[in-house]
Amino acid sequence: MPKYSLGFDFGTESVRVLVVDIQDGRIAGQSSHNYAHGVIDRELPTSKQQLPPDYALQHPQDWLDSLSSACRDAMRQARVDPNDVVGIGVDFTSCTMLPAKADGTPLCLLDEFKTIPLAWPKLWKHHGAKAETQRINDVARERNESWLARYGGTIGLEWFFPKIFETLNHAPQVYQAADVFLEAGDWLVWQITRGPFPRCSTRELTRSTCQAGYKGQWNAKTGYPSREYFAAVDPRLADVVAQKMTGEHRSPGRKSGGLSSASASLLGLRPGTPVSAAIIDAHSGVPGAGVASPSTMVMVLGTSSCHMMNSRVEQLAAGISGVVEDGILPGYFGYETGQASVGDAFAWLVKTFGLSHETLNREAAKLPPGSNGVLAIDWFNGCRTPLMDADLSGAFVGLTLGTKPEQLYRALIEATAFGVRWIVDTMRDAGIPVRRFVASGGLPAKSPLLMQIYADVLNEKIQLAESDQSVALGAAILGCIAAGPEVTGYAEISQAIRAMARPREDLVYRPEIANRAKYEKLYELYRSISGCDGTLAGAMRELRQFHQATC
Amino acid sequence: MPKYSLGFDFGTESVRVLVVDIQDGRIAGQSSHNYAHGVIDRELPTSKQQLPPDYALQHPQDWLDSLSSACRDAMRQARVDPNDVVGIGVDFTSCTMLPAKADGTPLCLLDEFKTIPLAWPKLWKHHGAKAETQRINDVARERNESWLARYGGTIGLEWFFPKIFETLNHAPQVYQAADVFLEAGDWLVWQITRGPFPRCSTRELTRSTCQAGYKGQWNAKTGYPSREYFAAVDPRLADVVAQKMTGEHRSPGRKSGGLSSASASLLGLRPGTPVSAAIIDAHSGVPGAGVASPSTMVMVLGTSSCHMMNSRVEQLAAGISGVVEDGILPGYFGYETGQASVGDAFAWLVKTFGLSHETLNREAAKLPPGSNGVLAIDWFNGCRTPLMDADLSGAFVGLTLGTKPEQLYRALIEATAFGVRWIVDTMRDAGIPVRRFVASGGLPAKSPLLMQIYADVLNEKIQLAESDQSVALGAAILGCIAAGPEVTGYAEISQAIRAMARPREDLVYRPEIANRAKYEKLYELYRSISGCDGTLAGAMRELRQFHQATC
């Protein structure tokens, strides 16, 4: 009798539910359902008041409603008996967070707070906490906080405590009234295992080591930053951890609880079905790509790119967005690095030139490495790893009166490849081995040219993840693991991952030996103009010489 | 009884003839006539053989034929009696040069040489002499030649001796057979005063101090580079000056001779009509813009830009393309500086984006200084003054996912303004006063936005030249001067210039005080990323801060 696990994959606009056979990872059913309110970035649904341009909120009821629809639909498609569902995994965008009461009720659903924007869940891309992020970083650097090095030296604008601090500064009554601030992934797990609200209790709240570690400066050994640190940031924040951060931390794959009866009937599932602790959506792509072993980098390539890896080694290096023990899979140090702009930079070019991806891809593929003399810097949305600087911007260098759009397009692809290479070099230079590469996300299947350039620039073989839904599949795998070996038959986590997902053996990009020296030179140029000791003019001269020598 | 002078303006595609009233500069008639063969850059008209991509040749008979048509047509329109024409001035593209026999016959018109491409006149933009230019510069630097400093330290690819040396290397039989190598402007003056060929004689050949000074490393005090220098470049070149450079040097405005009978009947003019020594087309724009006094910079703004100025001061500075005594007007040191890509960079953007100048201009005019965070480097065709480096290229910095084409367009205009500012700073820093600015050429009338930005960035008032044909008008003024004071009534050259041309008093762009500090900061950024001690990343950060502070 086949058994199944479910992946609940909460994205920015919708939730997707996957019903997966735990024996081989076959997807037996799937469905997605958009959130009724989508991203709330123009006006508040209640008061219709205009929101500032850097605001991005969500409606918590949407998550439950859309989940119910998608789950029932996926189960119906799969024709699976709820009794054959052994476990559930949940991935969620992060840091998407909200203030709630001790019974699980989001503050924004209470009459008293429903017209206050900062009482609503802040989506990951809510950018209202600029001043607070600055202060949080300044004080951490002044005090030389030891945890800062785990985040490459910089706390991000989109993270957890900047969003709390913003609430304290701009809506102190919300801060006061909140019994707890929590990640949306943790809130969702809490709701389906203990609720839904108002049936929950903070005594039974679990939090994911993934979300807490990558976005909340939490660490298994030392916990959150100290009372003294928070007091130095702002005296009113001194007790934030004691007062607002209740909850026990569990790593993804560990069981947070079983489905509550009320939630089971909401979802059409069996009460008591084990639910794994949540995971950040991108990080779920690691098990979802079938990567169980350390030192294999999973590159999730999309509008932006996120590169994750488990390692036995703990080393801190500049610009790594986070190093978290048990952050992705238990037993390993999980590394997260990223590029802030990849597919969306290509989309900018397509839109700005009024051309199509197809045309540009086709013409770009005819060009040699180096795009006939054009070099791009890919920081159209700032640089994440390794410089951690949102103020950096994109650039094109090497333009002449004969430069064509396809040169700019290929140069942008090459620039993002140099960006990955820089990340890998940074990790290796720090002593973190990076041995294998698996690509997932939307771009690999769309652009063989991009994959070949990445393989050439890295001078490494790159396998493609099998599923085009590796994030949701990863959640389902974590659900299977949470069910435990006696139910699933998998003694080791790695067995479950290898059985349910695997990189494709038949679709592997290998580096072209002929291009190796060319891309080495171009990468040097990219580093010299994007680094801190290069000059633009010098790079231009070398670039031109390079172009002339290779055309 | 009104008197007239004629301007013969030889451009790249056509010759224009202006009939001008010497009392007030009124244009009584004008006509232009395209060269039958235009620019010969694909195949030789005789043998149909393909030309290399960097070749650009012309047909010398075209110059005479088109001149005859245009001159007769302009005189017919003006209804002027040839006896009332007091003088003729000739401006020509430069360095456009050719090998000829002692009787004036171009080698390419002889059966023996007509199928050899390098026997044909090389147009200014013929770029076949790359290796030769390198050698000419290397040897000059090794030998620390004193004349090198007059050219900002670099001899250009398009200049006279590189083109001779190319001929020697690739068509030695042409070099051998040539009795003389000369500028097309000097050849034309020779033809109409002594010929046409084969009636000429090198004994009666005059050469312009302008062409010789700016393009032939010639100097009134020291002549051409020494025999020792040329021998060091290549032993076969040792006697090039003695053997191939016959001719007496005359400054523009001095009479080279009177129209020969044969040429007078070809042109429908009076034999004996005085003809001025030739001048380079761009330089002719100085008198043509009505600028008679020193320290006034004449900016000729077109596809590329050329900035010329007369000065009482002789100072050498990096990247000034030439400092030539009597080079533009007698009695002054003539300075030439330039920007290799201006209007053609705008045209590149228009073509690449498939938009119109009108749309981009309109939208760009709505943007603040700094183009909302985008900075361009305008070296789409290399940098002339001050870096003298054809290998430099264009760049855009500060790009984001929201960058629009009009930002790039305005950034390019601003970049060319920063380029002018850098030239002016370079001259002033060297101790050469620059006090007033007059703009001419095709761009000023087309783009008020550009003119306002130039005034703002220079923080100087800019007058527009009255005539949109200041180059041809300048030639006519030189023709008037060559006729002498007893005929024209002008005791001083400056009187003739002021009477026949003047900058417009009613169209003056004045700097906006509100923009001064902004453009100072942007200019600093432009210098820091385009100079040799800046870093791109640092500039990006500052640029972003600037943008945020001003938007």
Side-chain angles (χ1 to χ4, degrees):
Chain A
M1 191 71 176
K3 292 176 185 164
Y4 300 88
S5 66
L6 305 187
F8 294 172
D9 168 32
F10 287 85
T12 299
E13 300 282 353
S14 64
V15 59
R16 174 176 297 271
V17 172
L18 244 51
V19 181
V20 180
D21 188 323
I22 68 165
Q23 190 178 5
D24 56 7
R26 184 182 59 88
I27 295 172
Q30 60 176 305
S31 177
S32 76
H33 201 277
N34 284 347
Y35 307 139
H37 298 86
V39 177
I40 301 169
D41 55 6
R42 294 176 170 272
E43 57 176 35
L44 218 53
T46 46
S47 65
K48 304 295 171 196
Q49 79 175 93
Q50 294 291 307
L51 296 173
D54 42 11
Y55 270 44
L57 310 176
Q58 289 205 316
H59 197 309
Q61 191 63 50
D62 286 353
W63 300 329
L64 294 172
D65 293 348
S66 294
L67 175 63
S68 172
S69 301
C71 185
R72 288 175 174 278
D73 190 37
M75 287 292 287
R76 203 161 33 235
Q77 279 183 36
R79 299 168 188 256
V80 162
D81 182 336
N83 290 310
D84 293 329
V85 174
V86 299
I88 295 168
V90 176
D91 73 79
F92 216 109
T93 62
S94 175
C95 167
T96 296
M97 55 85 79
L98 68 159
K101 300 304 289 181
D103 64 5
T105 307
L107 255 64
C108 65
L109 300 187
L110 299 174
D111 277 350
E112 190 182 349
F113 299 103
K114 69 182 182 192
T115 60
I116 304 173
L118 291 178
W120 290 69
K122 297 183 199 59
L123 188 59
W124 61 276
K125 64 180 175 179
H126 174 88
H127 282 185
K130 291 194 180 73
E132 289 80 7
T133 307
Q134 183 76 46
R135 175 80 187 151
I136 277 171
N137 277 298
D138 287 350
V139 174
R141 283 171 200 145
E142 274 166 30
R143 292 174 46 90
N144 206 11
E145 292 286 341
S146 62
W147 43 261
L148 195 57
R150 299 189 178 280
Y151 304 101
T154 306
I155 300 309
L157 168 65
E158 297 175 354
W159 294 10
F160 197 82
F161 286 105
K163 280 173 169 149
I164 289 194
F165 192 18
E166 182 197 3
T167 308
L168 173 61
N169 274 342
H170 299 284
Q173 71 278 41
V174 170
Y175 183 84
Q176 282 304 328
D179 294 318
V180 66
F181 281 91
L182 74 177
E183 285 271 355
D186 294 332
W187 181 84
L188 197 284
V189 168
W190 194 27
Q191 300 308 304
I192 63 176
T193 55
R194 316 293 176 178
F197 66 89
R199 298 184 188 86
C200 307
S201 156
T202 46
R203 286 192 309 276
E204 297 165 335
L205 171 61
T206 63
R207 294 179 186 259
S208 164
T209 54
C210 179
Q211 268 92 333
Y214 286 105
K215 308 294 177 180
Q217 293 135 278
W218 177 86
N219 180 268
K221 295 191 184 71
T222 56
Y224 291 104
S226 66
R227 188 181 188 284
E228 291 68 33
Y229 166 72
F230 282 117
V233 171
D234 190 307
R236 297 171 298 163
L237 267 186
D239 292 311
V240 61
V241 172
Q243 292 175 354
K244 312 285 183 186
M245 298 301 293
T246 330
E248 185 195 328
H249 289 85
R250 305 240 171 123
S251 62
R254 278 192 62 204
K255 180 179 167 183
S256 278
L259 270 190
S260 70
S261 300
S263 289
S265 69
L266 187 73
L267 302 174
L269 298 173
R270 175 179 58 84
T273 308
V275 179
S276 164
I279 190 169
I280 300 175
D281 52 355
H283 300 61
S284 181
V286 176
V291 173
S293 51
S295 304
T296 298
M297 179 174 272
V298 176
M299 308 189 287
V300 185
L301 311 175
T303 54
S304 63
S305 285
C306 196
H307 310 294
M308 276 145 313
M309 196 181 76
N310 285 306
S311 181
R312 292 208 172 80
V313 175
E314 182 184 29
Q315 290 288 351
L316 311 180
I320 292 180
S321 314
V323 186
V324 177
E325 192 171 353
D326 297 342
I328 302 175
L329 289 177
Y332 294 114
F333 295 95
Y335 288 82
E336 181 195 340
T337 61
Q339 296 174 278
S341 174
V342 181
D344 55 8
F346 310 152
W348 171 83
L349 202 72
V350 163
K351 182 182 144 205
T352 309
F353 282 95
L355 293 168
S356 74
H357 279 290
E358 292 65 34
T359 306
L360 287 168
N361 237 312
R362 188 181 61 237
E363 296 304 314
K366 296 175 188 166
L367 297 174
S371 307
N372 278 338
V374 178
L375 185 67
I377 303 294
D378 49 318
W379 302 333
F380 279 67
N381 203 14
C383 175
R384 205 165 289 165
T385 310
L387 299 183
M388 291 289 270
D389 190 337
D391 280 343
L392 293 175
S393 55
F396 288 105
V397 175
L399 306 176
T400 71
L401 298 172
T403 298
K404 295 201 166 62
E406 58 265 28
Q407 288 176 264
L408 305 182
Y409 191 77
R410 185 184 176 106
L412 263 185
I413 294 177
E414 292 177 341
T416 63
F418 300 142
V420 181
R421 168 74 185 273
W422 195 356
I423 289 171
V424 173
D425 281 4
T426 301
M427 297 184 76
R428 287 174 173 165
D429 289 349
I432 307 157
V434 187
R435 298 219 175 83
R436 282 172 298 278
F437 297 84
V438 174
S440 65
L443 282 177
K446 273 189 226 150
S447 179
L449 173 65
L450 177 137
M451 289 312 303
Q452 186 59 52
I453 289 172
Y454 277 36
D456 287 353
V457 169
L458 287 169
N459 194 31
E460 296 278 3
K461 197 174 78 172
I462 305 177
Q463 281 184 285
L464 259 58
E466 188 168 35
S467 172
D468 55 352
Q469 299 186 16
S470 49
V471 168
L473 179 58
I477 291 171
L478 293 171
C480 166
I481 291 168
E486 53 291 342
V487 174
T488 64
Y490 293 122
E492 299 282 338
I493 291 173
S494 61
Q495 289 172 355
I497 294 174
R498 290 203 179 98
M500 295 176 69
R502 61 204 71 76
R504 292 178 65 162
E505 293 297 336
D506 61 331
L507 194 43
V508 179
Y509 288 87
R510 293 167 206 283
E512 293 269 3
I513 289 171
N515 291 340
R516 185 179 305 184
K518 291 174 193 166
Y519 278 122
E520 280 298 321
K521 178 67 187 163
L522 287 164
Y523 173 61
E524 266 176 42
L525 279 175
Y526 173 89
R527 289 291 301 274
S528 91
I529 71 166
S530 63
C532 294
D533 52 358
T535 72
L536 186 53
M540 284 175 180
R541 288 189 191 98
E542 289 192 54
L543 190 65
R544 181 66 67 95
Q545 283 168 8
F546 173 83
H547 170 51
Q548 287 170 341
T550 57
C551 71
Chain B
M1 191 68 173
K3 292 174 185 165
Y4 299 88
S5 67
L6 304 188
F8 294 173
D9 169 31
F10 287 85
T12 299
E13 299 283 352
S14 64
V15 60
R16 173 176 297 273
V17 172
L18 244 53
V19 182
V20 180
D21 188 323
I22 68 166
Q23 190 179 1
D24 56 7
R26 182 181 60 86
I27 294 172
Q30 61 176 305
S31 177
S32 76
H33 200 278
N34 283 345
Y35 307 139
H37 297 87
V39 176
I40 300 169
D41 54 7
R42 294 176 170 271
E43 58 176 34
L44 218 52
T46 47
S47 65
K48 304 295 172 195
Q49 78 175 93
Q50 294 291 307
L51 297 173
D54 43 11
Y55 271 45
L57 310 175
Q58 290 205 315
H59 197 308
Q61 191 64 49
D62 286 351
W63 301 329
L64 294 172
D65 293 347
S66 294
L67 175 63
S68 173
S69 300
C71 185
R72 287 174 174 280
D73 189 38
M75 288 292 286
R76 201 160 36 234
Q77 280 184 34
R79 298 166 191 260
V80 164
D81 182 336
N83 290 311
D84 293 328
V85 174
V86 300
I88 296 168
V90 176
D91 73 79
F92 216 108
T93 61
S94 176
C95 166
T96 298
M97 57 84 79
L98 69 160
K101 299 305 289 181
D103 64 7
T105 308
L107 255 63
C108 65
L109 300 188
L110 299 174
D111 277 348
E112 193 183 346
F113 298 104
K114 68 182 181 189
T115 60
I116 304 174
L118 291 177
W120 291 68
K122 297 183 200 58
L123 188 59
W124 61 276
K125 64 180 174 178
H126 174 89
H127 281 184
K130 291 193 179 75
E132 289 79 7
T133 308
Q134 183 76 46
R135 175 81 187 149
I136 278 171
N137 277 300
D138 287 349
V139 173
R141 283 170 201 146
E142 272 166 33
R143 293 174 46 90
N144 205 12
E145 291 286 341
S146 62
W147 42 261
L148 194 57
R150 299 188 177 281
Y151 305 100
T154 305
I155 300 309
L157 167 66
E158 297 175 354
W159 294 11
F160 196 83
F161 286 106
K163 280 172 169 152
I164 289 193
F165 192 17
E166 183 197 2
T167 309
L168 173 60
N169 274 342
H170 298 283
Q173 72 277 40
V174 171
Y175 182 86
Q176 282 303 329
D179 293 320
V180 66
F181 281 92
L182 74 177
E183 285 271 354
D186 293 332
W187 181 84
L188 197 283
V189 168
W190 194 27
Q191 300 307 305
I192 63 176
T193 56
R194 316 294 177 177
F197 66 90
R199 297 184 190 86
C200 308
S201 156
T202 47
R203 284 191 311 275
E204 298 165 335
L205 170 61
T206 64
R207 293 178 187 258
S208 165
T209 54
C210 179
Q211 268 92 332
Y214 287 105
K215 308 294 178 180
Q217 294 134 277
W218 178 86
N219 179 268
K221 297 190 184 70
T222 56
Y224 291 103
S226 66
R227 187 181 189 284
E228 291 68 31
Y229 166 72
F230 282 116
V233 170
D234 189 306
R236 297 170 298 165
L237 267 186
D239 293 311
V240 61
V241 172
Q243 292 175 354
K244 312 285 183 184
M245 298 300 294
T246 330
E248 185 196 330
H249 289 85
R250 305 240 171 122
S251 62
R254 278 192 63 202
K255 180 177 166 183
S256 278
L259 269 191
S260 69
S261 303
S263 290
S265 70
L266 187 74
L267 303 175
L269 298 173
R270 174 180 58 84
T273 308
V275 179
S276 162
I279 189 168
I280 300 175
D281 52 356
H283 300 61
S284 181
V286 175
V291 173
S293 51
S295 304
T296 298
M297 179 175 272
V298 176
M299 306 188 289
V300 186
L301 311 175
T303 54
S304 64
S305 286
C306 196
H307 311 293
M308 276 144 312
M309 197 181 75
N310 285 305
S311 180
R312 291 207 172 82
V313 174
E314 182 184 30
Q315 289 289 351
L316 311 181
I320 292 181
S321 316
V323 186
V324 177
E325 192 172 353
D326 298 341
I328 302 174
L329 290 177
Y332 293 114
F333 295 95
Y335 288 82
E336 180 194 341
T337 60
Q339 295 173 279
S341 174
V342 180
D344 54 9
F346 311 152
W348 171 83
L349 202 71
V350 163
K351 183 180 143 204
T352 309
F353 283 95
L355 294 166
S356 74
H357 278 292
E358 292 65 35
T359 306
L360 287 168
N361 239 312
R362 188 181 61 238
E363 296 303 316
K366 297 174 188 168
L367 297 174
S371 307
N372 278 338
V374 177
L375 185 68
I377 303 295
D378 49 318
W379 301 333
F380 280 66
N381 203 13
C383 175
R384 204 164 291 165
T385 310
L387 299 183
M388 292 288 269
D389 190 337
D391 280 343
L392 292 175
S393 55
F396 288 105
V397 176
L399 305 176
T400 71
L401 298 172
T403 299
K404 295 202 167 61
E406 57 265 30
Q407 286 175 266
L408 305 182
Y409 192 77
R410 185 183 175 107
L412 263 186
I413 295 176
E414 291 177 341
T416 63
F418 300 143
V420 180
R421 168 76 185 272
W422 194 356
I423 290 171
V424 173
D425 281 4
T426 301
M427 297 183 77
R428 285 175 174 165
D429 289 349
I432 307 157
V434 187
R435 299 219 174 82
R436 281 172 297 280
F437 296 84
V438 175
S440 66
L443 282 177
K446 274 188 228 154
S447 179
L449 172 66
L450 177 137
M451 289 312 303
Q452 187 58 53
I453 289 173
Y454 277 36
D456 287 353
V457 169
L458 288 169
N459 194 28
E460 297 277 2
K461 196 175 77 170
I462 305 177
Q463 281 183 284
L464 258 58
E466 188 167 37
S467 172
D468 55 352
Q469 299 185 18
S470 50
V471 168
L473 179 59
I477 291 170
L478 293 170
C480 166
I481 292 167
E486 52 292 341
V487 176
T488 64
Y490 293 121
E492 300 283 338
I493 290 173
S494 60
Q495 290 172 354
I497 294 174
R498 292 204 178 96
M500 294 177 69
R502 65 205 67 78
R504 292 178 65 163
E505 294 297 335
D506 61 331
L507 194 43
V508 179
Y509 289 88
R510 293 169 207 281
E512 294 269 3
I513 288 171
N515 291 340
R516 187 180 304 183
K518 291 175 192 166
Y519 278 122
E520 280 297 322
K521 178 66 188 164
L522 287 164
Y523 174 60
E524 264 176 43
L525 278 176
Y526 173 89
R527 288 289 303 274
S528 91
I529 72 164
S530 62
C532 294
D533 51 359
T535 72
L536 185 53
M540 282 176 182
R541 289 190 190 96
E542 289 192 55
L543 189 66
R544 180 66 67 94
Q545 282 166 9
F546 172 84
H547 168 52
Q548 286 169 343
T550 57
C551 71

